[in-house]
Amino acid sequence: DSFRNPCALIFPVFILGLFGCGVYAFYRQDRRKALLYLLPIFLTLLAAMLGKYPFRGRVILFLIPSYYVFIALGFEKVVGLLKGFQKWGALCLALLLLAAPLKDAFAHFTQSRDWVQNREALEFLRDHYEAGDFLVMNTSAMPPFWYYAGSLGFGRMFKQDTLAIKDGQLVKGVKVAQFARYLGEGAGGRFLALRYEYHVYDDKGFFREVLGLKDPPQMLKEGQAFSSPPLGRTWVFLSKAPEDDDRIMNNIIRDSFDKRAKRLLASEQKNAAVYLYDLK
């Protein structure tokens, strides 16, 4: 599965064959260097087998160089065995190997990419944020918010409440509200689910974990004003994923706050926006 993500290669059984041939060829050529490239793969796989680290996705991007070295050597080894058919064999193998990257490149060339300007929106929030301001986000906004809170430095500005003692240390977090990626529909029309939770940041303002609350989620009906308790200065950060539901949900959220209070500040970027309200 790691050949698919993060290596972006399909036909994993075929790729595994090339990988195995590459390991064999490299080991025969230079055992020390082959083991050096194999070591990070082996250690990460061992950690995954022990349940200590995932073995898929962006968290193993550091393994891609080792993967590609062995796959390339395996490709060279297999082509070398195709006596009399090396030219056409290499072309066919290359097309199989590069099928996914070529497909993605063609899609981006013909359809372009739908950029999301989260950084620009959050730079605006950073420049106008005041300690104690409340934060409301949608689900798509959470990962970029966590990242930029640390990289842009505004995570250090959060006023965090003491929550509990964990492993002998105080755990502090900032309370936020999240509109879950859930667009429900009933007899009364469409509705969204809102829940409160605590986000934990370290002393440098980098995100660490989410601590959920046991309170049941609240429901916000389309066309209804935001009805939660007064929160004072409240920032609403909305980001958009490719799914069309995000566009509909963001419109409902924005409309609900506009019905409750007047916007004090706003920054609308491509597929991302922040709004400041004074909820009284």
Side-chain angles (χ1 to χ4, degrees):
D1 196 39
S2 60
F3 290 134
R4 295 182 185 273
N5 186 5
C7 291
L9 301 171
I10 54 178
F11 308 119
V13 175
F14 164 68
I15 300 298
L16 180 61
L18 292 182
F19 178 83
C21 289
V23 171
Y24 174 77
F26 201 175
Y27 189 77
R28 290 285 302 272
Q29 177 183 335
D30 190 325
R31 293 184 179 183
R32 182 176 175 274
K33 288 185 179 179
L35 291 174
L36 188 64
Y37 278 92
L38 273 174
L39 185 61
I41 298 175
F42 171 76
L43 291 178
T44 308
L45 183 59
L46 179 62
M49 294 169 66
L50 295 173
K52 300 297 183 181
Y53 198 81
F55 200 78
R56 184 179 190 275
R58 73 180 86 183
V59 294
I60 58 169
L61 280 173
F62 61 91
L63 295 183
I64 285 183
S66 293
Y67 270 124
Y68 283 175
V69 164
F70 289 120
I71 291 170
L73 287 172
F75 178 89
E76 183 183 39
K77 182 71 173 178
V78 172
V79 170
L81 296 174
L82 300 175
K83 301 191 180 296
F85 301 95
Q86 289 183 337
K87 182 177 180 180
W88 291 107
L91 178 61
C92 292
L93 288 176
L95 288 174
L96 288 173
L97 187 62
L98 300 175
L102 288 172
K103 178 183 176 183
D104 290 343
F106 180 76
H108 288 311
F109 179 76
T110 57
Q111 302 173 16
S112 186
R113 182 177 175 181
D114 199 11
W115 294 99
V116 182
Q117 294 181 310
N118 291 307
R119 182 188 179 94
E120 291 79 358
L122 290 173
E123 283 177 339
F124 181 86
L125 185 150
R126 175 200 60 191
D127 294 341
H128 297 88
Y129 181 86
E130 296 180 6
D133 287 356
F134 195 77
L135 297 163
V136 179
M137 291 169 267
N138 66 337
T139 299
S140 295
M142 303 296 255
F145 186 87
W146 293 332
Y147 174 78
Y148 286 116
S151 65
L152 294 179
F154 60 83
R156 295 191 299 267
M157 303 165 65
F158 296 152
K159 183 179 179 181
Q160 301 191 74
D161 301 322
T162 300
L163 305 177
I165 297 179
K166 183 178 180 181
D167 298 329
Q169 295 183 336
L170 288 176
V171 177
K172 295 183 177 181
V174 56
K175 188 176 182 180
V176 303
Q178 178 196 169
F179 281 98
R181 183 179 285 139
Y182 172 71
L183 182 59
E185 190 162 357
R190 294 184 294 196
F191 59 89
L192 307 179
L194 169 74
R195 66 185 181 193
Y196 290 90
E197 56 196 19
Y198 281 94
H199 293 180
V200 179
Y201 294 82
D202 63 18
D203 294 337
K204 296 181 180 180
F206 288 92
F207 170 77
R208 286 295 172 254
E209 63 178 316
V210 174
L211 298 178
L213 298 178
K214 296 181 179 180
D215 301 338
Q218 303 177 25
M219 299 301 165
L220 175 71
K221 294 182 180 179
E222 183 175 11
Q224 178 186 39
F226 185 72
S227 57
S228 283
L231 300 172
R233 279 173 52 103
T234 299
W235 287 95
V236 179
F237 173 40
L238 302 175
S239 186
K240 179 182 177 298
E243 291 80 10
D244 195 53
D245 274 2
D246 259 11
R247 178 184 61 81
I248 298 172
M249 291 173 59
N250 288 352
N251 288 338
I252 295 174
I253 296 168
R254 184 168 44 242
D255 179 63
S256 73
F257 278 88
D258 286 341
K259 290 183 182 308
R260 169 75 182 270
K262 183 179 179 180
R263 295 182 194 174
L264 301 179
L265 294 171
S267 175
E268 294 183 327
Q269 305 294 330
K270 185 173 179 60
N271 292 323
V274 289
Y275 305 98
L276 176 62
Y277 297 89
D278 187 6
L279 303 187
K280 299 179 180 179

